[in-house]
Amino acid sequence: MASPKLSVIIPVHNESANIAPLCERLLPVLSRITQDWEVVFVDDGSRDDTLDLIRDVSRTEPRIGAVSFSRNFGKEIAIAAGLDHARGDAVVIMDADLQHPPEMIEAFVERWREGFLMVYGQRTDRSDETRAKRGFAQAFYKLFARFGEIPLPEGAGDFRLIDRKGVDALRTLGEKARFSKGLYAWIGFKATGVPFVVEERRFGTTKWSFRKLFRFAFDGIAAFSTVPLRIWTYIGFLVSFLAIATALFFMVRTLLFGTDLPGFPSLIVSIMFFSGIQLMSLGIVGEYVGRIFAEVKRRPLYVVAERVGGAAEVSSDIV
Ligand code: UDP
Ligand code: MG
């Protein structure tokens, strides 16, 4: 029997400075594990010479290939494309900026050989991130743990190894607003974590703006929970109940002591209050309707502009 094949998926967006240092560290690790490996870069609409650099290394090392998007589709979609193009029996997903130490892949493969179908890197501290981002992440994961449909393992990110069975399962999930961490947990399978320390980003800057992060967080919550949709029913009930109680209070007071209030302030306040609630709940419904719209359109997840090396052989250009 042929030895199992190992694929590494690396989404890249303007990472030209990282390509060479990454390959330098990654390739020896892969060669120690097996000769039958491949690297699938997913060029997520880079505007610098990232793709040219990959093309160069691909010429000397044909096991390195790339799928290049026609524009920036986002990291989540890039991962989906990587999974479509990887042919390995085990597939590793990692960042290009060397924050995910390539040496960890050996530990991942070891656990995989022990029978775990999903091996995720578990970051032990988040001290590399800004305080605001850390706080935001913490709040998000607390919310998700409380309201999400599935538990997410703590500290687990995209850095992980997935068995072919898991990859095939992930590929059947066609949703557009992709929250990979949720999807990894959703497919199940025997999983385990390997702790690692996130390294400093080597070159360039983070590709996540606060706006992108917020979008990402909302996609995550909305894809795996209907609580934002339902919570307004409860709040609505509560508010109505309070309104009835207040009305009763005023009625009794007026009957006993007569009226000394023109009633104008309370009227305005209650009108404003209820319009606020209605607008908010409409907004929430709108978020979900927007998602339904996005799913119903059945647009392809991404459009491939070009292929480099081995990754060129697989599937059609619009997936
Ligand atoms: N990335 C991508 N598309 C994007 C943003 C990021 O493919 O729109 C890639 C990026 O090139 C990197 C990985 O996703 O390989 C992680 O991005 P980054 O390091 O900027 O995120 P952070 O580590 O700050 O969370
Ligand atoms: Mg990074």
Side-chain angles (χ1 to χ4, degrees):
M1 214 183 102
S3 73
K5 190 180 177 77
L6 179 67
S7 299
V8 181
I9 297 172
I10 309 174
V12 282
H13 178 61
N14 298 343
E15 299 280 9
S16 62
N18 287 315
I19 300 295
L22 172 69
C23 290
E24 209 168 285
R25 248 180 89 184
L26 176 63
L27 303 196
V29 175
L30 295 181
S31 298
R32 277 206 296 276
I33 298 169
T34 172
Q35 286 316 306
D36 195 9
W37 54 259
E38 67 171 356
V39 174
V40 181
F41 281 103
V42 184
D43 169 32
D44 186 11
S46 297
R47 285 163 188 277
D48 60 4
D49 55 352
T50 300
L51 187 62
D52 296 327
L53 291 170
I54 297 172
R55 206 178 279 123
D56 285 348
V57 282
S58 175
R59 262 193 280 275
T60 50
E61 176 49 86
R63 287 175 287 188
I64 296 174
V67 184
S68 178
F69 285 173
S70 55
R71 63 168 173 86
N72 180 244
F73 281 87
K75 184 186 176 189
E76 302 294 304
I77 305 286
I79 290 174
L83 293 173
D84 285 342
H85 290 84
R87 287 162 296 184
D89 301 295
V91 173
V92 171
I93 302 168
M94 68 185 290
D95 285 357
D97 54 8
L98 283 169
Q99 287 192 292
H100 298 160
E103 295 74 27
M104 290 295 300
I105 296 174
E106 285 182 289
F108 286 1
V109 169
E110 215 166 274
R111 304 315 301 272
W112 175 59
R113 288 194 175 128
E114 285 166 18
F116 290 99
L117 297 194
M118 173 87 78
V119 188
Y120 50 85
Q122 220 163 5
R123 56 195 310 175
T124 42
D125 76 324
R126 283 180 166 264
S127 55
D128 60 301
E129 295 173 337
T130 62
R131 243 219 204 104
K133 194 173 167 192
R134 217 159 48 220
F136 185 78
Q138 250 166 17
F140 170 74
Y141 286 109
K142 266 212 190 95
L143 247 151
F144 200 96
R146 178 79 185 75
F147 295 117
E149 284 159 15
I150 36 156
L152 294 183
E154 198 161 326
D158 286 318
F159 188 31
R160 59 181 66 224
L161 178 150
I162 309 170
D163 182 84
R164 171 52 46 190
K165 280 197 190 115
V167 173
D168 289 340
L170 285 171
R171 290 186 59 203
T172 63
L173 308 178
E175 52 197 275
K176 308 287 186 281
R178 293 184 85 81
F179 177 61
S180 303
K181 277 175 222 172
L183 300 180
Y184 301 142
W186 186 88
I187 60 166
F189 291 119
K190 205 172 147 197
T192 185
V194 182
F196 79 103
V197 178
V198 179
E199 291 177 18
E200 294 266 318
R201 185 175 233 288
R202 272 301 278 277
F203 298 103
T205 51
T206 176
K207 306 294 179 293
W208 289 92
S209 60
F210 231 77
R211 199 180 61 86
K212 263 193 183 169
L213 268 182
F214 189 79
R215 239 14 275 173
F216 176 71
F218 202 96
D219 276 346
I221 297 274
F224 285 93
S225 162
T226 50
V227 168
L229 200 54
R230 284 180 291 130
I231 199 167
W232 301 101
T233 328
Y234 300 115
I235 292 182
F237 264 119
L238 191 76
V239 168
S240 313
F241 180 79
L242 281 179
I244 291 170
T246 318
L248 277 178
F249 169 77
F250 277 121
M251 246 164 75
V252 170
R253 214 173 83 148
T254 311
L255 284 178
L256 291 182
F257 309 107
T259 177
D260 56 1
L261 284 171
F264 188 67
S266 56
L267 200 67
I268 290 296
V269 164
S270 63
I271 287 175
M272 277 169 63
F273 187 63
F274 285 105
S275 339
I277 295 273
Q278 280 168 357
L279 281 178
M280 270 197 287
S281 46
L282 257 181
I284 297 282
V285 172
E287 286 284 351
Y288 281 88
V289 172
R291 280 170 178 70
I292 294 169
F293 182 54
E295 298 293 335
V296 161
K297 276 185 292 190
R298 309 221 115 261
R299 276 197 195 137
L301 269 184
Y302 52 88
V303 178
V304 172
E306 193 184 337
R307 288 155 203 279
V308 174
E313 292 147 31
V314 196
S315 69
S316 72
D317 274 356
I318 298 179
V319 185

